Amino acid sequence: AQKVTQAQTEISVVEKEDVTLDCVYETRDTTYYLFWYKQPPSGELVFLIRRNSFDEQNEISGRYSWNFQKSTSSFNFTITASQVVDSAVYFCALSEARTGNQFYFGTGTSLTVIP
Amino acid sequence: DSGVTQTPKHLITATGQRVTLRCSPRSGDLSVYWYQQSLDQGLQFLIQYYNGEERAKGNILERFSAQQFPDLHSELNLSSLELGDSALYFCASSADSTPYGYTFGSGTRLTVV
């Protein structure tokens, strides 16, 4: 079974629009971590955020914000006022203490911001 | 620079050949993880080493093997290569087995022709 589901394969938005990338996870661990990574066309994985299972506080960093809801097992990512430089593939990932903290990645959402 | 160094950055080789990918973890990190990103399978965990010992295994093929040396660098060996092994291979390191300070290298792009 897929531990991390990113149902949106591709999203296109016009510059300055807001966009939300969905992530749903599945785990039986009480201690786990959730991540978002950005992969630009150059290929490297750029770390965006880490959240542990005991911290449900939402976070805002500039134009980026994250909504963590344990009740729905979701960890969604919103980009406000999108820019062309936000065009990339975004991955949500889960790490469980029980399985040694290897990462389970979702299939990624390819975001295209149209100028 | 993430501090995790992967070499080479690009590799082109023929089917049936064997290659070795190298990873130098960030200074002080004891854990090394290998991941494969392919079009078919997405990003998936292959194997983890902690201070020289294998700690966890994921979907790693029998044709693939890895090791971590006393200086903590790691090598991923891929043999009897097939076209489907073409992928981006990432190494990550962390100080221990927790995800704090988990850092990815920039990857090695392997093309099998």
Side-chain angles (χ1 to χ4, degrees), chain A residues 33 35 37 39 41-45 47 50 52 91 95 99-107, chain B residues 33 35 37 43-45 48 56-58 88 90 97-106 109:
Chain A
Y33 304 85
F35 302 78
Y37 280 85
Q39 187 175 42
S42 52
E44 73 272 22
L45 290 169
F47 168 79
R50 176 187 61 241
N52 72 55
F91 290 94
S95 166
T99 53
N101 288 308
Q102 59 178 272
F103 278 28
Y104 299 95
F105 283 92
T107 50
Chain B
Y33 304 77
Y35 290 82
Q37 184 178 23
L43 254 170
Q44 60 175 357
F45 168 71
Q48 178 202 0
K57 223 170 187 177
L88 191 50
F90 287 104
S97 281
T98 74
Y100 288 97
Y102 206 101
T103 306
F104 281 90
S106 56
R109 187 171 295 278

Side-chain angles (χ1 to χ4, degrees), chain A residues 46-101:
Chain A
V46 178
F47 168 79
L48 296 178
I49 190 171
R50 176 187 61 241
R51 261 284 173 269
N52 72 55
S53 51
F54 302 109
D55 182 4
E56 277 193 81
Q57 218 174 13
N58 291 330
E59 179 156 338
I60 298 175
S61 176
R63 296 184 296 107
Y64 295 169
S65 62
W66 291 269
N67 184 316
F68 177 22
Q69 292 197 337
K70 286 175 76 170
S71 61
T72 56
S73 296
S74 65
F75 186 43
N76 296 337
F77 172 32
T78 297
I79 302 174
T80 303
S82 59
Q83 300 176 1
V84 173
V85 293
D86 296 326
S87 296
V89 180
Y90 290 85
F91 290 94
C92 180
L94 166 72
S95 166
E96 300 168 317
R98 179 178 57 90
T99 53
N101 288 308

